[in-house]
Amino acid sequence: MARDLSSYDSGRRTFLKALGALGATAAASPAVAGQAAADDAADYHESLRAELTASSRQAKQLPAGEYVYDTTEEATIETFSLVGGGTESTISVDVNAVPHTEAERLDVPSADDPGAVAYRGPITDHSVAEGDLLLGVAWVRSDDDAAEASARFGYVDSDGEPVGENFVQRGAAVDPQGEWLRYFFPVEVGERPDDADVPALELQAGYADQTLDVGGVALLDYSGDGVGLGTLPPYDYEGRSEDADWRQAAHERIEEHRKTDVEIEVLNPGGQPMDGATVDVEMVEHEFDFGSAVSVEHVVGDTEDDEIYRETFLDHFNKAVVENGLKYPAWEGVWDTDNNDTRATLDWLNERDIPTRGHYLLWEQDQASGGGGMNVDPDLPADEKQEVIAEKIADHAAEFEGDVTEWDMHNHPIWQSNYRNNPKLGWDAVEEWWEAADDTTDTELYTNEMGALGGQWQRSQYLDYVEHLVENDYPIDGIGFMGHHQQQWGQMLDMDNLLSGIDQFAEFDLPLLVTEFDIQILDRRNAQDVDVQVDYTRDFLTALFSKEAVEGVVSWGFWEEDHWRPSGAYYDADWTLRENGEQFLDLVFDEWWTEETGETDDDGVYATRGFKGDYRVTAEKGALSGETTVTVDDDADTVTVELTPPGRGGGNGRGNGSGNASGN
């Protein structure tokens, strides 16, 4: 898991600028490109409305609404003009890359007041009243590194000066990139300052001398449609701000629970303390589990992508779960999975000392329509089915004994309670199945369920389920949370809600593990969707890392081409690191990573504090040097490095913590 941070940087913006210079066609998502290319004459406003009203938006599905400006791009553009200086010109756009067909290029000067220069569309033919709910839309791009704009909906007086408040409720900031990105501006209209004032939507642009391209502008009116402000994009969650109350306490818990003090004692060849020696303390692996699901296909494959896949996994993660290969339909030949490849995948992971989860032993479903199940005959009598499943669990656990470090013993116990709902099976059968696993394997047994920390619609039921296991002395060793988040269902929890959920489950005094983490967003071309995905990645991981009961977070994949929800992957199909992936790496290998250098004192000791995990410790003075590897945790106290002359093996070391080690 060692990571050289120089191998990636904050280069996403530079990459996007380069794409913009080429017309941004390479960055178009298939859905967007297909929508535009299907018919060059397709109406942008119709396609936008179809997208916002689509059932695939689930809880975020919108009614049709009414267009405020017009239902054609040309007429809408004619409504907008640049005020306060600068020039505007019409530019062509590639309809294979974006859904709009027209755009304007704005060359604007900087101003002491950024709002003094604006691309404005006054509303003269549509009634706007206090309390109305509107949604502004704009696609924006720029090749200027310092490009910046902000949205305003409010009133302007007869002199064209903005008056009163800005009624954009969230997402007003615009950070243009080199590719076309879409921005949404939800508006709740407030009081009109004066009867003569005119409402207008505008992009304020006087932040710098800059060039902005703007297209696809629209304004939808949802007044009277029963739409709530929270249903309008962009979407947010409480506790996102950098000064949120929860954040400082979380950082303090991380300092307390995830770091520890350690002393490095350096001895000379005679075994005496060596003062003034230079000591380098380099972390090589976290104690905390930052894992990922892996695909059998790519672990055993021989393509260039397969090689990158394996290297990326080893660079980024210290724990694994085989995504599908150990499920009964896969192992028993229902799915097209080669068991030899699954075995090779487990061998590859174990040879590299990667702890690997087994997914799963019990899933209360006969067949695989829900993605798994026990692969048993639905028509079996209950008593026979109970016996068959007990045998399958015991056989499966025995088959992979020593290959996996823990099992999802009971997968989806709340979502799929089919066997417990059968009075001829019920809890008695489930108890027998847990006993079958416990009698067969020494591997730890976990529960695993969604909707408790990734969303919370099943939290109370999951708490009741775990309580039943604990109170009835089931052999439960840990509690797993799937951690899937779907933006269209509003599953990015407010941070206080997330933290309280962790605390509720921590009361069982069992290890907690997020087993299948990802964040699905509506569209990666929506700039604000990407931004909230990045911030929730930061905040979700920070919250979990801060809680002592939590032992890890396992991502459910990392590459777009091998991810069940592609918008949630850390890497694009071409292995470009996405913003959420960069955030993950920044936390794991920068903010929560320890690399320290110092000198020993008069007693030959260098004291420091670092994140718990495995370390390489080197020391040198003059021609003398030594090195050791050691696990630094709560049991560690002093690590000893013995210096030796050149040609004597580079020195030996030892630590008195949980990872006594010697190195050469």
Side-chain angles (χ1 to χ4, degrees):
M1 195 179 178
R3 178 71 179 173
D4 178 3
L5 290 175
S6 65
S7 65
Y8 85 100
D9 57 24
S10 301
R12 177 66 171 170
R13 186 180 181 92
T14 302
F15 172 73
L16 294 177
K17 298 293 184 186
L19 285 178
L22 296 173
T25 57
S29 71
V32 172
Q35 172 187 337
D39 183 356
D40 288 346
D43 184 85
Y44 165 70
H45 287 74
E46 288 182 5
S47 65
L48 175 60
R49 175 172 279 158
E51 178 184 351
L52 295 176
T53 60
S55 60
S56 61
R57 292 179 64 84
Q58 297 172 328
K60 303 302 183 183
Q61 183 181 14
L62 293 171
E66 181 182 0
Y67 279 108
V68 171
Y69 289 117
D70 203 283
T71 57
T72 68
E73 290 185 79
E74 182 179 5
T76 302
I77 285 177
E78 288 178 357
T79 304
F80 278 76
S81 61
L82 195 58
V83 298
T87 61
E88 55 188 301
S89 57
T90 301
I91 62 171
S92 61
V93 297
D94 184 349
V95 296
N96 290 301
V98 291
H100 57 280
T101 63
E102 299 185 24
E104 290 200 291
R105 176 158 293 166
L106 313 177
D107 292 298
V108 298
S110 62
D112 292 338
D113 175 10
V117 181
Y119 185 59
R120 178 179 298 162
I123 300 169
T124 57
D125 297 328
H126 187 92
S127 175
V128 174
E130 184 175 356
D132 285 353
L133 205 60
L134 313 174
L135 180 63
V137 185
W139 289 77
V140 186
R141 66 166 299 279
S142 178
D143 290 323
D144 296 332
D145 288 339
E148 182 179 2
S150 63
R152 180 183 187 274
F153 184 94
Y155 290 93
V156 294
D157 62 20
S158 58
D159 295 324
E161 295 296 325
V163 291
E165 298 178 38
N166 181 4
F167 300 125
V168 173
Q169 297 300 303
R170 59 181 178 270
V174 175
D175 178 25
Q177 307 290 311
E179 65 173 345
W180 284 106
L181 293 174
R182 180 167 56 183
Y183 294 83
F184 291 102
F185 313 112
V187 173
E188 188 170 22
V189 180
E191 183 180 2
R192 185 191 302 260
D194 187 272
D195 289 344
D197 296 334
V198 176
L201 175 67
E202 61 184 44
L203 279 180
Q204 298 182 336
Y207 292 90
D209 293 333
Q210 59 181 332
T211 299
L212 300 175
D213 295 340
V214 181
V217 179
L219 184 62
L220 285 146
D221 188 344
Y222 294 106
S223 306
D225 285 334
V227 174
L229 185 62
T231 308
L232 298 180
Y235 304 111
D236 213 342
Y237 58 92
E238 291 294 328
R240 183 182 178 187
S241 64
E242 294 191 5
D243 61 352
D245 292 340
W246 70 275
R247 201 174 298 282
Q248 180 60 35
H251 290 316
E252 291 172 358
R253 289 193 300 272
I254 288 172
E255 183 70 26
E256 176 184 1
H257 300 313
R258 302 302 176 191
K259 299 179 76 174
T260 191
D261 296 322
V262 63
E263 292 186 344
I264 314 299
E265 178 187 48
V266 179
L267 304 179
N268 66 19
Q272 298 301 307
M274 175 68 80
D275 65 345
T278 299
V279 178
D280 290 319
V281 180
E282 299 176 280
M283 195 171 188
V284 295
E285 187 169 295
H286 272 283
E287 176 186 74
F288 194 85
D289 293 330
F290 291 105
S292 177
V294 295
S295 165
V296 169
E297 172 190 359
H298 297 297
V299 171
V300 303
D302 58 4
T303 69
E304 182 179 358
D305 279 331
D306 295 331
E307 180 64 28
I308 296 172
Y309 183 95
R310 292 188 290 269
E311 291 176 356
T312 302
F313 171 80
L314 292 174
D315 276 351
H316 295 354
F317 305 105
N318 63 357
K319 190 166 190 165
V321 57
V322 178
E323 186 173 5
N324 289 314
L326 300 187
K327 294 180 178 181
Y328 292 103
W331 187 252
E332 295 175 355
V334 177
W335 296 345
D336 186 19
T337 303
D338 188 323
N339 287 348
N340 291 327
D341 289 345
T342 299
R343 275 284 180 203
T345 298
L346 291 170
D347 291 344
W348 183 84
L349 292 164
N350 286 320
E351 287 165 4
R352 288 156 181 79
D353 296 323
I354 305 294
T356 302
R357 310 190 73 245
H359 181 67
Y360 49 84
L361 290 178
L362 173 63
W363 184 335
E364 293 185 48
Q365 186 176 16
D366 292 334
Q367 296 297 306
S369 59
M374 300 304 297
N375 193 37
V376 296
D377 183 354
D379 297 325
L380 283 176
D383 56 346
E384 187 175 346
K385 183 178 293 186
Q386 181 171 336
E387 181 180 352
V388 167
I389 290 176
E391 291 176 355
K392 288 171 73 80
I393 289 171
D395 290 347
H396 213 51
E399 178 74 28
F400 299 104
E401 186 72 3
D403 293 322
V404 298
T405 56
E406 66 209 41
W407 277 106
D408 285 328
M409 166 54 207
H410 200 166
N411 197 54
H412 282 308
I414 307 305
W415 180 52
Q416 295 281 339
S417 56
N418 299 316
Y419 297 152
R420 277 169 294 148
N421 294 339
N422 182 342
K424 295 182 179 180
L425 291 171
W427 274 106
D428 288 343
V430 172
E431 183 174 356
E432 179 184 344
W433 296 332
W434 274 84
E435 290 175 354
D438 189 45
D439 290 344
T440 304
T441 180
D442 293 328
T443 304
E444 293 184 335
L445 303 177
Y446 279 62
T447 62
N448 193 35
E449 187 53 281
M450 62 183 176
L453 296 184
Q456 64 158 1
W457 72 95
Q458 296 189 130
R459 180 182 296 173
S460 63
Q461 300 97 311
Y462 197 29
L463 284 164
D464 290 343
Y465 163 80
V466 175
E467 183 177 23
H468 178 89
L469 299 187
V470 171
E471 289 184 349
N472 289 277
D473 297 324
Y474 279 64
I476 178 175
D477 296 306
I479 305 171
F481 308 90
M482 292 184 182
H484 297 303
H485 301 79
Q486 291 180 282
Q487 190 180 39
Q488 57 268 52
W489 283 112
Q491 291 169 351
M492 297 182 198
L493 294 178
D494 295 341
M495 294 310 298
D496 286 344
N497 187 330
L498 173 62
L499 290 162
S500 66
I502 299 169
D503 290 341
Q504 286 178 284
F505 284 95
E507 292 180 4
F508 292 112
D509 198 27
L510 290 167
L512 310 182
L513 177 69
V514 175
T515 59
E516 305 179 18
F517 172 59
D518 53 34
I519 304 171
Q520 179 185 20
I521 58 177
L522 286 165
D523 193 334
R524 295 204 60 81
R525 300 304 306 277
N526 293 341
Q528 295 143 317
D529 287 355
V530 172
D531 288 344
V532 77
Q533 183 187 49
V534 170
D535 288 353
Y536 198 74
T537 298
R538 174 198 65 199
D539 292 345
F540 185 84
L541 291 175
T542 299
L544 273 293
F545 194 58
S546 77
K547 290 295 188 176
E548 186 176 16
V550 180
E551 63 181 10
V553 176
V554 179
S555 298
W556 200 244
F558 52 92
W559 182 38
E560 180 185 12
E561 289 294 286
D562 190 60
H563 202 290
W564 77 315
R565 292 174 176 166
S567 68
Y570 295 139
Y571 280 89
D572 284 334
D574 65 357
W575 293 103
T576 299
L577 181 65
R578 290 174 170 174
E579 293 91 333
N580 60 319
E582 184 173 342
Q583 178 65 86
F584 174 84
L585 296 180
D586 281 345
L587 289 174
V588 177
F589 296 105
D590 187 357
E591 186 173 335
W592 300 335
W593 195 257
T594 300
E595 290 186 358
E596 299 287 347
T597 299
E599 288 192 355
T600 55
D601 59 18
D602 292 343
D603 296 321
V605 173
Y606 169 62
T608 189
R609 185 171 176 80
F611 288 98
K612 298 172 186 177
D614 293 341
Y615 283 80
R616 179 185 302 109
V617 181
T618 59
E620 62 178 19
K621 185 173 183 180
L624 302 176
S625 64
E627 177 180 314
T628 188
T629 56
V630 65
T631 296
V632 173
D633 57 19
D634 287 333
D635 296 326
D637 185 10
T638 301
V639 176
T640 301
V641 180
E642 300 173 359
L643 303 186
T644 61
R648 294 280 299 277
N652 295 308
R654 59 184 184 273
N656 66 351
S658 62
N660 293 349
S662 62
N664 295 307

